[in-house]
Amino acid sequence: MSPTNPRILPYGTAAIAEAAEVIRGGGCVAVPTETVYGLAADASDSRAVAGIYEAKGRPSFNPLIVHVPELAAAETIAIFDDAARDLARRFWPGPLTLVLPLRPGAEIAALVTAGLDTIAIRVPDHRAMQALLDATGLPLAAPSANASGSISPTRAAHVAASLAGRIPLVIDDGPTPAGLESTIVQDGRILRPGPLDAATLGLEHAAPEGRITAPGQLASHYAPGKPLRLNAREREPGEWLIGFGGVPGDDTLSIRGDLVEAAANLFDALHRADASPAARIAVAPVPGTGIGIAINDRLRRAAHPR
């Protein structure tokens, strides 16, 4: 690793082999998933998991998601009831995280669960993360590969800019297709909206509890370095406007008003806005239906005072 930047390697056999060697040695590497780029380390190694928290500057009370290759592997770590197993069979691999009771004796570092008796777990649907899981043979803790609280990374360049000097390696497999972190479900309710919406899952959203029970619940999260104004229909002086549909701007989430396209473009657009010469950022209204619920969740947290 150079003093300032991680190495970026294109996805392939050599990159996966090198990343697996780093992880088996107790380090962490950035790897794409179908949601965002994740910062992966051995979930059974306390020191390796501590390295994730250190690299991100992540508060230790904020638990991590563990990635495994298949449902059978997940069942060695977490206790599934029939409802959870049904969701897993229907939506794994995919952008669904289940928060389940931690199985007694599971070899998972205590830091991963942040002291909770539950674990957040999912089976990713991306060739790079699946290849890394196969190469290491380990469950991988992998939160988003960015400094804690900042804009989530959907490209390798986002990771390199956010974690410069903190990690050795980024695997580059292009932009992530979903562009939003996974939907998180516990006890049949959605804790964090994501690419799989309530109608698709056949579930309802949980009422906020005011305590951290799963990743992605901090009030201020996913935030740019500049002030962010929501529901803007026109640009004010000094702003970079991110448009949507009929609201034009310096950039747009989707000129067609397509919510799936908007989700895929959200963090990339925020990164561009943050790098622009404007002092502030504004975002056009996004309908709060379907995946728009997840988009607005991320925008509210991004705009929340720090």
Side-chain angles (χ1 to χ4, degrees), residues 132-246:
L132 191 57
L133 287 164
D134 181 64
T136 60
L138 297 166
L140 299 178
S144 57
N146 59 306
S148 185
S150 64
I151 307 168
S152 295
T154 57
R155 296 177 182 270
H158 298 162
V159 179
S162 187
L163 297 180
R166 303 186 193 183
I167 63 172
L169 181 63
V170 182
I171 296 175
D172 185 357
D173 200 15
T176 58
L180 290 178
E181 298 84 356
S182 61
T183 304
I184 298 181
V185 171
Q186 183 177 22
D187 296 331
R189 292 184 178 272
I190 297 171
L191 298 186
R192 179 179 73 183
L196 295 172
D197 62 26
T200 300
L201 293 169
L203 303 175
E204 296 180 351
H205 293 271
E209 291 189 18
R211 63 190 181 97
I212 302 298
T213 58
Q217 293 184 307
L218 295 175
S220 178
H221 210 13
Y222 319 109
K226 299 173 181 178
L228 178 62
R229 182 169 69 94
L230 305 183
N231 300 313
R233 297 190 177 275
E234 58 185 28
R235 181 191 301 100
E236 293 184 353
E239 287 184 335
W240 177 278
L241 176 60
I242 300 173
F244 176 81

Side-chain angles (χ1 to χ4, degrees), residues 33-305:
T33 75
E34 75 277 27
T35 58
V36 299
Y37 275 70
L39 185 59
D42 179 359
S44 66
D45 182 339
S46 294
R47 290 188 177 182
V49 175
I52 292 177
Y53 281 96
E54 181 179 11
K56 284 178 61 68
R58 185 181 178 99
S60 60
F61 58 78
N62 197 4
L64 305 177
I65 295 174
V66 172
H67 296 66
V68 293
E70 59 187 2
L71 173 57
E75 291 194 287
T76 68
I77 295 170
I79 299 173
F80 284 71
D81 59 19
D82 289 343
R85 191 172 292 106
D86 177 64
L87 283 172
R89 286 172 174 163
R90 289 164 58 202
F91 298 106
W92 280 355
L96 172 67
T97 293
L98 297 174
V99 178
L100 300 166
L102 180 65
R103 185 172 293 280
E107 295 184 1
I108 295 294
L111 274 174
V112 168
T113 63
L116 300 172
D117 58 3
T118 55
I119 187 166
I121 195 164
R122 84 178 186 98
V123 175
D125 187 18
H126 194 285
R127 64 180 186 174
M129 179 59 97
Q130 280 287 348
L132 191 57
L133 287 164
D134 181 64
T136 60
L138 297 166
L140 299 178
S144 57
N146 59 306
S148 185
S150 64
I151 307 168
S152 295
T154 57
R155 296 177 182 270
H158 298 162
V159 179
S162 187
L163 297 180
R166 303 186 193 183
I167 63 172
L169 181 63
V170 182
I171 296 175
D172 185 357
D173 200 15
T176 58
L180 290 178
E181 298 84 356
S182 61
T183 304
I184 298 181
V185 171
Q186 183 177 22
D187 296 331
R189 292 184 178 272
I190 297 171
L191 298 186
R192 179 179 73 183
L196 295 172
D197 62 26
T200 300
L201 293 169
L203 303 175
E204 296 180 351
H205 293 271
E209 291 189 18
R211 63 190 181 97
I212 302 298
T213 58
Q217 293 184 307
L218 295 175
S220 178
H221 210 13
Y222 319 109
K226 299 173 181 178
L228 178 62
R229 182 169 69 94
L230 305 183
N231 300 313
R233 297 190 177 275
E234 58 185 28
R235 181 191 301 100
E236 293 184 353
E239 287 184 335
W240 177 278
L241 176 60
I242 300 173
F244 176 81
V247 178
D250 301 285
D251 201 345
T252 184
L253 297 177
S254 172
I255 196 167
R256 299 175 298 163
D258 184 311
L259 287 172
V260 174
E261 182 181 23
N265 289 336
L266 176 62
F267 290 132
D268 204 17
L270 285 173
H271 277 284
R272 287 192 295 268
D274 216 23
S276 77
R280 297 181 301 281
I281 303 168
V283 182
V286 176
T289 57
I291 199 171
I293 294 173
I295 294 170
N296 282 294
D297 170 78
R298 303 306 192 275
L299 286 171
R300 282 192 299 270
R301 295 178 194 273
H304 192 278

